């Protein structure tokens, strides 16, 4: 149903400008069709949508209307929609599908998409889906699931077009014309030795533009790289992005070809990893906009609890200076400024460091230099803000020494912020912990504690 | 030079585990070769490195050794290294190259890479590079530069393999075999009508596996989409990621083919956009790990200044309650807890909202629902932390009413945090401002002000 009163505060303009996103108009038509149980109107309205758009639509709907839409849409439901759905609502969408529709949907998917679909389901749903698969597909899916989660082996597709290294262009073309089960999308022919180990690859463009007698080995690409099946998918995505790979063969421990990863899979991983870092830095776990209230409350509670712990730590520091605060109440007014500036500066340094670690731009080769630079930057900005705040503090409260204390505390806290902002992520990376995970909490704990301690401590010494 | 004392605090393990990143050992060899002016050793050590790795290496070095390396490396310097370099040091690397090396390097690049290279240079360097290009390349580059920065027209490559829509597979293959200037990488043949408007495309795989008499039009892909040359590259990247495109033709206002964008270009844009959002959310502009201290000081100063403004605003709120603070100094000890919890909860909501806006998962269709959910989540977590903090406050200071005040302020601030966390990015998006840009500052201003006001205000009413 259209909810006319809500449009006023929404980013209507931005959405209308957008070429790709679901249009509000389409969404209204679809909601109206569901409301009136009009199957023909629903199918007509959904017809122009890509499965990825339909998945977005389902994610944006409330559970009730969503289930009604799925029931009404019936057998039109395409398997690809399941692949595109966010994990957070996959289980409930699958539960809403009739057994026949689910069977058809799952059978229409490629085996690597089925793997991706299964990964996040509970065991009962996994078994239900495995059961409806035809035998060869089931075997392929089960084999893929034998690789560790998040590994290249899970990410790859098993169908690869290969040719013996001694073949020429004509042989390759004739072979491909004769094959009926070529993969949907492929960009390279992988050259293999007699033991089925990849030794190079040629692009289809080169094959197509060369004479039939040209040897494939003479057309090999320089960019050829193989990927171990056990490699972390994050490293795979990094390699694709860093070296501009289009596809790369995956090999087992003996170097034998087991599958291929293409850039579109790597792009999805890259995008997911970036999202994960962004959310982790903000103290949000694996959260989605489609999550229910109870889910996000449970997700965020532990992060807030950790923050409460550090906030109490900061309060314990303040509590040491109760007598000072009692004597000069202006300190209570000004102290959040020092902590806030330190927290901000620390977050700046930390975010740059976390990102640089993720892109491998911060390494042993430049860590010392980066630390030195952050400390210097903290010192310089610290001095600048010390001057500003010294003046503000003096004008506000008329006590020159208060300005000096505020300025000194600012310098100390911004230097510490720069140092902690780089060191915390570096140490976490070294300990094998994702530096995006809890760096933020540690860094602001340091800047809060140091900020309050420096300001109130100096005030106690210099003003009392 | 190896700096042996620095290895102790560096993430040595993580780097050694890594399959792709530059190895510390290689970097040491390279630094030693530069130090001893040993050109052969330098070339030998750099030989296995990809241009992208060499670019990373240059970014990680200090300016002095970097210039010495470039001078020593001389004519081995590959044009692709320039393309891979971070903008922050491109100008200084180009300045360090001898005119002959620069000419060779630039001439070896494809025209779209030259465009990318030129974009961020100052005018003098732009002209110097345009001058050394051969005439057809210069024309191509100048034409690309006529499209607005950040548009599909800038991103595309001009070389496209096309075929009339009525051709069959045999005609296409013969045509390609006869052509000498095929692009380095291409995945599709674009079918065009007589007015050179793209009407569909076929994958090379389909062409190669079909009989010579098959009509190309019968092999067309469903996924075909064209991209207007004026479209924002961010939207292009979104479309590639959302619809799993591999390549897409770019058209002018009349729908005529002007170029093609491939997924590898889209992947770079996507990765850059994600980085930009991450850094903007942390109050860091367009910063890189290779920036000099003076650059990062200047970059971060305005953000810290904005934060100072909001921190002073919060202090002004506190200043209204000086009498209350004077009477009960415990309030000064506890008040940062309320603000800190609100700031954290607000950042959580905001980050989820900013990300969902970027991925088009937060739209007019679900905004009301998301706002309601965030407010409910704030309320529920607020109540939970109110209970915890109420008890902590009571035990700590022995005043039951202090616990009640703390708990109530916590509930108010977490609800406001949830509301502000979604509304601020939504309103910024609606106003055409990047929601990642300043949402953080606004949200924490709201939670600081509300947090201090609610806590101290309630204390004034209920405790005095």
């Amino acid at each position: 149903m259209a909810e006319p009163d809500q449009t006023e505060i929404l980013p209507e303009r931005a959405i209308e400008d957008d070429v790709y996103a679901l249009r509000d108009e389409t969404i209204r038509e679809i909601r109206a069709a569901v409301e009136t149980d009009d199957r023909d109107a629903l199918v007509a309205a959904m017809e122009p949508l890509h499965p990825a758009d339909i998945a977005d639509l389902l994610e944006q709907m409330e559970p009730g209307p969503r289930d009604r839409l799925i029931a009404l849409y019936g057998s039109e439901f395409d398997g690809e929609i399941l692949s595109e759905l966010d994990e957070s609502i996959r289980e409930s969408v699958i539960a809403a599908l009739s057994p026949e529709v689910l069977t058809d949907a799952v059978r229409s998917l490629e085996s690597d998409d089925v793997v991706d679909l299964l990964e996040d389901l509970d065991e009962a749903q996994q078994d239900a889906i495995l059961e409806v698969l035809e035998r060869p597909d089931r075997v392929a899916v089960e084999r893929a699931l034998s690789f560790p989660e998040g590994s290249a082996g899970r990410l790859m597709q098993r169908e690869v077009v290969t040719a013996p290294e001694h073949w020429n262009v004509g042989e390759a073309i004739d072979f491909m014309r004769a094959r009926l089960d070529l993969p949907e999308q492929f960009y390279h022919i992988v050259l293999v030795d007699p033991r089925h180990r990849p030794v190079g690859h040629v692009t289809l463009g080169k094959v197509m533009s060369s004479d039939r007698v040209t040897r494939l080995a003479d057309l090999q690409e320089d960019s050829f790289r193989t990927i171990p099946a056990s490699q972390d998918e994050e490293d795979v995505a990094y390699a694709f992005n860093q070296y501009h790979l289009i596809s790369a063969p995956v090999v087992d421990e003996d170097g034998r070809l087991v599958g291929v990863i293409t850039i579109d899979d790597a792009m999805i991983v890259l995008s997911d990893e970036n999202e994960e870092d962004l959310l982790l830095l903000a103290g949000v776990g694996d959260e989605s906009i489609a999550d229910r209230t109870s889910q996000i409350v449970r997700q965020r509670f532990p992060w807030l609890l950790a923050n409460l712990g550090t906030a109490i730590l900061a309060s314990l520091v303040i509590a040491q200076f109760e007598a000072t605060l009692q004597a000069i109440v202006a300190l209570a007014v000004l102290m959040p400024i020092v902590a806030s500036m330190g927290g901000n500066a620390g977050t700046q340094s930390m975010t740059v460091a976390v990102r640089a670690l993720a892109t491998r731009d911060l390494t042993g080769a430049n860590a010392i230099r980066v630390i030195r630079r952050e400390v210097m930057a903290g010192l310089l900005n610290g001095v600048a803000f010390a001057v500003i705040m010294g003046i503000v503090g003096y004008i506000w409260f008329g006590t020159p020494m208060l300005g000096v204390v505020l300025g000194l505390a600012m310098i100390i806290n911004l230097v510490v912020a720069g140092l902690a902002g780089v060191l915390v992520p570096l140490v976490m990376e070294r300990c094998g912990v994702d530096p995006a995970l809890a760096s933020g909490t540690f860094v602001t704990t340091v800047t809060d504690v140091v900020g309050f301690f420096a300001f109130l401590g100096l005030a106690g010494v210099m003003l009392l």
Side-chain angles (χ1 to χ4, degrees), chain A residues 221-282:
Chain A
E221 293 291 299
D222 288 341
S223 61
F224 178 73
R225 271 165 198 267
T226 60
I227 290 174
S230 59
Q231 187 161 80
D232 195 301
E233 61 178 13
E234 192 177 351
D235 292 328
V236 174
Y238 172 76
F240 269 81
N241 198 26
Q242 171 87 345
Y243 302 123
H244 314 300
L245 307 179
I246 300 301
S247 79
V250 179
V251 295
D252 64 16
E253 310 93 76
D254 303 321
R256 267 190 285 260
L257 184 71
V258 290
V260 67
I261 293 177
T262 50
I263 185 174
D264 48 325
D265 299 315
M267 191 172 183
I268 294 168
V269 173
L270 187 77
S271 167
D272 287 350
E273 295 288 339
N274 284 332
E275 172 161 314
E276 195 185 293
D277 278 0
L278 182 76
L279 294 179
L280 280 181
L281 275 174

Side-chain angles (χ1 to χ4, degrees), chain A residues 286-429:
Chain A
D286 190 15
E287 190 178 311
S288 138
I289 203 83
D291 284 349
R292 281 193 309 276
T293 306
S294 59
Q295 289 171 304
I296 69 170
V297 168
R298 257 178 291 136
Q299 274 273 7
R300 294 184 192 170
F301 182 87
W303 297 88
L304 290 172
L305 192 64
N307 182 64
L308 180 63
T310 74
I312 290 178
L313 200 65
S315 289
L316 286 172
V317 171
I318 301 171
Q320 306 310 307
F321 300 96
E322 273 190 47
T324 315
L325 284 165
Q326 193 85 58
I328 314 167
V329 79
L331 297 177
V333 174
L334 292 173
M335 68 182 188
I337 297 180
V338 179
S340 162
M341 293 296 284
N344 243 266
T347 303
Q348 289 179 329
S349 304
M350 176 195 71
T351 305
V352 172
V354 166
R355 177 68 192 172
L357 282 169
T359 57
R360 274 79 159 170
D361 290 327
L362 175 55
T363 67
N366 62 343
I368 289 291
R369 188 176 149 226
V370 170
I371 292 168
R372 207 186 296 138
R373 189 194 64 167
E374 288 292 341
V375 170
M376 272 306 294
L379 184 65
L380 292 173
N381 267 329
V383 169
F385 284 104
V387 171
I388 297 172
M389 275 316 294
I391 295 169
V392 170
Y394 170 56
I395 293 174
W396 193 345
F397 292 94
T399 321
M401 267 322 253
L402 184 61
V404 173
V405 167
L406 194 53
L408 285 177
M410 193 74 90
I411 294 174
I412 292 170
N413 210 17
L414 290 203
V415 169
V416 168
L419 194 63
V422 191
L423 276 184
V424 168
L426 271 173
V427 169
M428 294 192 75
E429 167 99 348

Side-chain angles (χ1 to χ4, degrees), chain A residues 145-276:
Chain A
L145 288 173
S146 71
F147 289 102
E149 210 176 320
S151 68
R154 284 271 182 106
L155 195 63
M156 72 188 186
Q157 58 189 67
R158 305 186 64 81
E159 301 82 20
V160 194
V161 180
T162 59
E165 48 188 328
H166 56 79
W167 273 16
N168 65 26
V169 167
E171 286 170 301
I173 292 183
D174 293 343
F175 169 74
M176 280 191 285
R177 287 213 180 115
R179 251 183 86 168
L180 294 171
D181 61 337
L182 286 174
E184 261 297 293
Q185 299 275 351
F186 69 106
Y187 317 106
H188 291 103
I189 300 175
V190 178
L191 305 184
V192 291
D193 71 9
R195 299 180 58 188
H196 212 60
R197 286 181 303 209
V199 293
H201 66 185
V202 295
T203 67
L204 295 184
K206 287 262 170 69
V207 172
M208 194 112 68
S209 55
S210 303
D211 285 326
R212 285 183 62 91
V213 295
T214 311
R215 288 185 58 220
L216 292 180
D218 296 333
L219 301 174
Q220 281 185 64
E221 293 291 299
D222 288 341
S223 61
F224 178 73
R225 271 165 198 267
T226 60
I227 290 174
S230 59
Q231 187 161 80
D232 195 301
E233 61 178 13
E234 192 177 351
D235 292 328
V236 174
Y238 172 76
F240 269 81
N241 198 26
Q242 171 87 345
Y243 302 123
H244 314 300
L245 307 179
I246 300 301
S247 79
V250 179
V251 295
D252 64 16
E253 310 93 76
D254 303 321
R256 267 190 285 260
L257 184 71
V258 290
V260 67
I261 293 177
T262 50
I263 185 174
D264 48 325
D265 299 315
M267 191 172 183
I268 294 168
V269 173
L270 187 77
S271 167
D272 287 350
E273 295 288 339
N274 284 332
E275 172 161 314
E276 195 185 293

